[in-house]
Amino acid sequence: MESLLTWLDDRTGYRGLLKSALYERIPGGARWRYVWGSTLMFAMFVQFVTGIVLWAAYSANAQGAWESVYYIQNEMVGGWLLRGIHHYMAQVTIVLLVLHLMQVLIDGAYRAPREVNFWFGLGLLGLVMGLSLTGYLLPWDQKGYWATKVATSIASMTPVVGPSMQALLVGGADYGHHTLTRFFALHAGALPAGIVLLIVGHVYLFRRHGVTPPKEAAEKPDGWFWPEQVLRDGVACLIVMATVLGLVLWTGGAHLGAPADPTEPYAAARPEWYFMFLFQWLKYFPAGWEVVGAQVIPGILVGVIAAMPILGKWRLGHRFNLGFAGALFLGIAMLTWVAYQEDGGDPEFVEAKEDAEAIAARVEELASSGVGIPPAGGLAMLRDDPLLQGPLIFQGSCSSCHTYSGHDGLGNVLEEESSAADLAGYGSRDWLAGLLDPDRITTPDYFGGSDHARGAMARFVTRGVAGFSPEQQEELAKVIVALSAEAALPRQAEADASDAADIVEGRALISSESINCTRCHTFGDVATGDDGPVLTGWASREWMIGMVTNPSHPLYYGDNNDRMPAFGDEGILTGHEIELVVDWLRGDWIGAPGVN
Amino acid sequence: MEAPEEYQGEPRRTFLAAIGALATGAAAALVPVAAGVAALVDPLRKRGPETSMVLVTKLSAIPDDGTPKKFTVRQDRVDAWSTEADAPVGAVYLRRADDGVAALNVVCPHAGCFVGLADDRAGFACPCHRSSFDLDGAVDDPASPSPRDMDALEVEVRNDDEVWVRFQNFLPGRHDKTAV
């Protein structure tokens, strides 16, 4: 073994290298205050390790980015931990960088001959912010998508070169596949390469100049990097790692929102917390002044920081630097605080955030259902979900006449009384029992607001049903069960199966003389009257789609249709939209009672 | 490795510090490495898809003269994060045999290339390393590098004219036929 190592040392000189790396003399001895640089090196190591493994599972395209991150997060063993560590270590890195910078400023460690190393450090800070910005977009969720759009929009406002800069960043006129490939190349290639180069330069110069010991260290004997300082560094790194691990476990890992959707508003779009001050700062700049706010002023501030080693040469320079950095830090902290205060007190933001959470949770439910994510991606899956889309379509196209449990589908209670039936539970036994209740048929929940309140059906219920004998009441109950079974509602499937005998009886009673629905309605092969809608398959998926497509079709209301438009035939809704709203009304969506 | 001559320190104290430095450093570094390794070896958990008989074609689409014809096999497929119904998952050669239909996986058992029909249509020839097989898929040349015959698949004719195949891939380069 020894001879092998000697052989290796002869060829490489590794012993000398190790010796000079480890046995570095530290004036005044090892100190806890020297650990910051090492913790940052450790953070970089963690980001490289976790980043490369994430890379091995990530797909940078608009139909694969969110999907692959979902897969990492929810399907791969330890994926959530891996992504959580990467996510929180990125944030801890920012904190450590700021602490490191503060310490360098306070100790005056930026002054000659360490100017260049100070600039290397500033460069590293810039690159790390670039990593944060590019990394935020990669999951391609609503949050990252809309927040990053703001950043690239600001870039596009740069005078003269702005639009070209934006196109180069985004990879074209708009966000898409190339935005992700380019951001990913920056995030996993160019920026880390720059960081490695700068770190090499930073450490080299640090070794050349040594630490900047505090005054009290002058009386202490010199110490050594190995093992005294390394032990302190090791403990500090362990604390950093434990903090990150604690954050991951406490929060359950990094969040993944709903897939990016350029057509859906996202009022909860906010950058990561360490950029919130910029977000808040921009609010104070009127139209046309964004460039001043986002580029000129920050540019000047960064310029002043970069000039600090030069300014520090003058007697008051160091004090100015400290005052300036302190004021800047305080300003950033204030802006951040105000930003969170404003958001917390804004009910619209709070609501938007809750909505976003709900959609994200729904996406997860859909993706983890047996159906899986389609090749067209998570967004396509969302757009095909009756539970998410149904209420939106209902609110947009149905709620001017109909209600759903008294609201417009999205939970807003309507001021005006509805002019058509409430469609919550349409097709169910309860709904039908209400329609056939003499006390309820002419209320706004059913026919109250429409011409049908004065029609033959309302007359039949208020006069005929009102005078039913107890036997007829019993028969009617069976008719309700049988007719509601026509709807084949998923949530009623169990009840329909267990009441099969009643359903058989009820079906026969529909055309009996005693109840006689078929006087006006067609049912099965009994077609004695066709004034009212056909009852065969009443409220089934097919029936409802046909009804919404054209209510004036002879199968449905024919000439008796009150005011309902032919949503399909007139092209108001697409066939797919009609299916979605019908499936939603019928409670036929993944995760609904009775749906596998 | 020797410490520099001017290096001073109480040996016991230094030794403990060195142990502590190594232990804390290793403990901190182990966390991301462990999470990374767990995620990296995740594919080892994955098993090949459940095999089931799938309808490939109609009997009438297979040539009467006994020459093989290539057909695409479609099956529900889960590809990491995306799930596709009726996706093209592979191909088979179907050929009329004495007692019905014979099915061969198109993948060469040698190194996984797509085996083609020989020019004279009297057998199969792999374009990569010159494995050659007869129409039944048996190795027909002693110089053929393929360790086994082409992989026959279970095939069934249902309802007179539907050709159903149990589609499966097998590990290449082995004498025995082991499903992936």
Side-chain angles (χ1 to χ4, degrees):
Chain A
M1 188 67 189
E2 184 61 30
S3 62
L4 192 71
L5 289 179
T6 308
W7 180 88
L8 192 67
D9 187 44
D10 277 351
R11 269 79 185 166
T12 61
Y14 81 93
R15 281 177 181 155
L17 185 75
L18 255 184
K19 201 162 166 175
S20 64
L22 290 176
Y23 291 102
E24 158 94 358
R25 192 191 282 273
I26 302 177
R31 287 178 181 275
W32 284 106
R33 62 188 302 153
Y34 301 151
V35 301
W36 299 116
S38 297
T39 58
L40 278 164
M41 285 284 273
F42 174 68
M44 289 299 155
F45 163 78
V46 172
Q47 295 307 72
F48 267 83
V49 170
T50 52
I52 288 171
V53 181
L54 286 169
W55 183 350
Y58 175 73
S59 173
N61 76 83
Q63 265 104 51
W66 181 89
E67 294 73 11
S68 59
V69 175
Y70 174 86
Y71 187 77
I72 292 169
Q73 185 79 13
N74 298 292
E75 304 280 335
M76 287 175 76
V77 169
W80 67 276
L81 181 64
L82 186 73
R83 185 168 166 255
I85 292 174
H86 197 72
H87 178 78
Y88 285 107
M89 190 58 90
Q91 312 195 9
V92 167
T93 303
I94 301 268
V95 174
L96 290 172
L97 267 172
V98 170
L99 288 175
H100 192 50
L101 177 66
M102 284 294 167
Q103 194 192 18
V104 164
L105 289 176
I106 291 168
D107 290 349
Y110 57 87
R111 282 181 290 201
R114 298 186 172 86
E115 299 96 323
V116 175
N117 217 13
F118 180 74
W119 292 327
F120 278 4
L122 280 188
L124 281 165
L125 179 62
L127 289 179
V128 166
M129 289 180 120
L131 280 171
S132 305
L133 190 86
T134 48
Y136 205 50
L137 177 73
L138 296 181
W140 204 246
D141 61 357
Q142 282 281 72
K143 186 175 65 162
Y145 180 88
W146 290 106
T148 311
K149 274 226 148 170
V150 174
T152 51
S153 300
I154 288 167
S156 79
M157 294 172 201
T158 313
V160 189
V161 295
S164 332
M165 220 160 82
Q166 143 112 356
L168 285 176
L169 253 179
V170 168
D174 204 357
Y175 269 43
H177 293 319
H178 264 173
T179 318
L180 278 166
T181 54
R182 293 172 87 90
F183 268 61
F184 191 46
L186 282 174
H187 186 82
L191 293 171
I195 282 193
V196 168
L197 285 178
L198 280 185
I199 284 182
V200 168
H202 201 67
V203 172
Y204 164 74
L205 286 177
F206 166 68
R207 278 303 171 101
R208 188 183 159 95
H209 301 133
V211 294
T212 310
K215 283 198 192 75
E216 70 266 21
E219 298 122 38
K220 295 274 175 72
D222 287 359
W224 297 89
F225 180 62
W226 173 262
E228 290 95 341
Q229 185 61 45
V230 177
L231 173 61
R232 287 172 172 79
D233 290 352
V235 171
C237 292
L238 196 57
I239 293 172
V240 168
M241 195 63 244
T243 308
V244 167
L245 207 55
L247 282 169
V248 176
L249 295 176
W250 181 49
T251 56
H255 185 256
L256 179 63
D261 186 349
T263 66
E264 282 302 318
Y266 187 68
R270 293 291 181 275
E272 202 65 287
W273 60 267
Y274 41 81
F275 285 128
M276 278 296 269
F277 72 96
L278 265 177
F279 165 82
Q280 182 68 19
W281 176 244
L282 274 183
K283 289 188 193 169
Y284 304 121
F285 292 85
W289 289 82
E290 295 90 350
V291 174
V292 175
Q295 295 183 10
V296 177
I297 295 179
I300 292 172
L301 296 178
V302 171
V304 172
I305 296 175
M308 280 184 177
I310 314 244
L311 297 171
K313 281 183 184 167
W314 285 284
R315 207 158 51 86
L316 287 176
H318 182 56
R319 293 214 177 146
F320 167 79
N321 286 346
L322 283 185
F324 182 82
L328 189 64
F329 189 73
L330 214 68
I332 287 174
M334 280 286 288
L335 282 170
T336 309
W337 184 76
V338 173
Y340 280 103
Q341 278 309 104
E342 284 191 5
D343 276 350
D346 178 359
E348 263 179 57
F349 173 77
V350 174
E351 203 190 317
K353 218 172 137 105
E354 279 168 10
D355 286 352
E357 295 287 324
I359 294 176
R362 177 62 181 163
V363 178
E364 205 178 315
E365 187 180 6
L366 288 173
S368 62
S369 75
V371 183
I373 302 170
L379 186 57
M381 181 179 74
L382 273 189
R383 294 217 170 113
D384 278 345
D385 180 29
L387 180 62
L388 286 173
Q389 305 306 324
L392 294 172
I393 299 166
F394 187 88
Q395 192 273 336
S397 293
C398 313
S399 71
S400 50
C401 300
H402 291 282
T403 51
Y404 184 89
S405 276
H407 60 76
D408 67 349
L410 297 176
N412 307 307
V413 177
L414 300 156
E415 283 171 25
E416 284 178 44
E417 209 157 72
S418 63
S419 59
D422 191 290
L423 296 182
Y426 184 73
S428 68
R429 293 176 186 180
D430 285 347
W431 193 93
L432 199 52
L435 180 76
L436 292 167
D437 182 340
D439 295 332
R440 293 181 61 193
I441 185 163
T442 52
T443 65
D445 281 351
Y446 292 96
F447 285 171
S450 70
D451 281 354
H452 300 304
R454 294 170 293 281
M457 181 73 191
R459 252 193 329 273
F460 164 71
V461 174
T462 50
R463 295 185 196 161
V465 175
F468 269 9
S469 66
E471 292 84 50
Q472 276 177 307
Q473 291 286 2
E474 249 171 64
E475 288 175 353
L476 185 67
K478 284 176 184 161
V479 165
I480 288 171
V481 171
L483 205 48
S484 179
E486 292 289 299
L489 296 178
R491 66 171 174 280
Q492 221 173 254
E494 229 171 89
D496 286 345
S498 60
D499 296 339
D502 282 350
I503 291 170
V504 172
E505 262 187 78
R507 290 177 64 89
L509 287 165
I510 287 173
S511 50
S512 70
E513 251 179 56
S514 155
I515 306 288
N516 208 1
C517 302
T518 45
R519 193 160 74 100
C520 305
H521 297 277
T522 302
F523 182 71
D525 45 16
V526 186
T528 44
D530 61 357
D531 299 341
V534 60
L535 294 185
T536 321
W538 173 78
S540 64
R541 187 169 193 267
E542 200 189 346
W543 190 97
M544 283 177 74
I545 290 170
M547 163 75 190
V548 178
T549 303
N550 182 11
S552 301
H553 188 280
L555 271 177
Y556 304 103
Y557 282 101
D559 294 338
N560 293 330
N561 181 31
D562 184 358
R563 279 155 291 174
M564 180 155 162
F567 284 95
D569 287 357
E570 289 174 32
I572 305 169
L573 292 174
T574 65
H576 188 51
E577 286 169 325
I578 293 175
E579 284 171 14
L580 285 168
V581 77
V582 163
D583 285 341
W584 173 64
L585 285 171
R586 290 171 39 78
D588 192 356
W589 28 267
I590 289 168
V595 181
N596 301 322
Chain B
M1 182 180 54
E2 295 284 309
E5 269 171 39
E6 68 273 30
Y7 182 80
Q8 292 156 343
E10 204 223 314
R12 203 176 120 81
R13 205 180 126 85
T14 305
F15 176 72
L16 287 179
I19 294 290
L22 287 175
T24 50
L30 196 66
V31 176
V33 170
V37 169
L40 270 185
V41 301
D42 180 75
L44 292 179
R45 291 188 312 124
K46 300 278 184 296
R47 294 277 158 266
E50 295 278 310
T51 59
S52 57
M53 299 295 281
V54 286
L55 173 63
V56 173
T57 186
K58 289 288 172 70
L59 195 56
S60 52
I62 306 173
D64 288 331
D65 60 1
T67 51
K69 191 176 171 191
K70 179 178 82 74
F71 291 90
T72 300
V73 178
R74 307 184 73 94
Q75 210 168 357
D76 293 352
R77 185 167 84 135
V78 178
D79 180 5
W81 49 83
S82 76
T83 306
E84 192 176 2
D86 200 30
V89 292
V92 289
Y93 284 116
L94 295 179
R95 182 172 89 86
R96 293 207 195 230
D98 316 326
D99 49 350
V101 178
L104 294 171
N105 195 319
V106 297
V107 174
C108 182
H110 172 227
C113 292
F114 198 120
V115 176
L117 263 184
D119 292 339
D120 59 4
R121 303 179 75 78
F124 297 97
C126 182
C128 292
H129 312 103
R130 309 215 172 282
S131 288
S132 99
F133 309 90
D134 65 20
L135 283 178
D136 292 324
V139 175
D140 67 353
D141 179 355
S144 176
S146 180
R148 62 172 190 262
D149 299 341
M150 284 175 77
D151 297 315
L153 299 170
E154 188 187 334
V155 60
E156 219 176 87
V157 178
R158 295 183 185 172
N159 306 324
D160 292 339
D161 66 342
E162 293 171 8
V163 183
W164 293 67
V165 173
R166 184 182 301 280
F167 183 73
Q168 254 179 315
N169 285 308
F170 301 89
L171 291 174
R174 303 160 62 114
H175 288 285
D176 57 323
K177 194 173 147 190
T178 309
V180 173

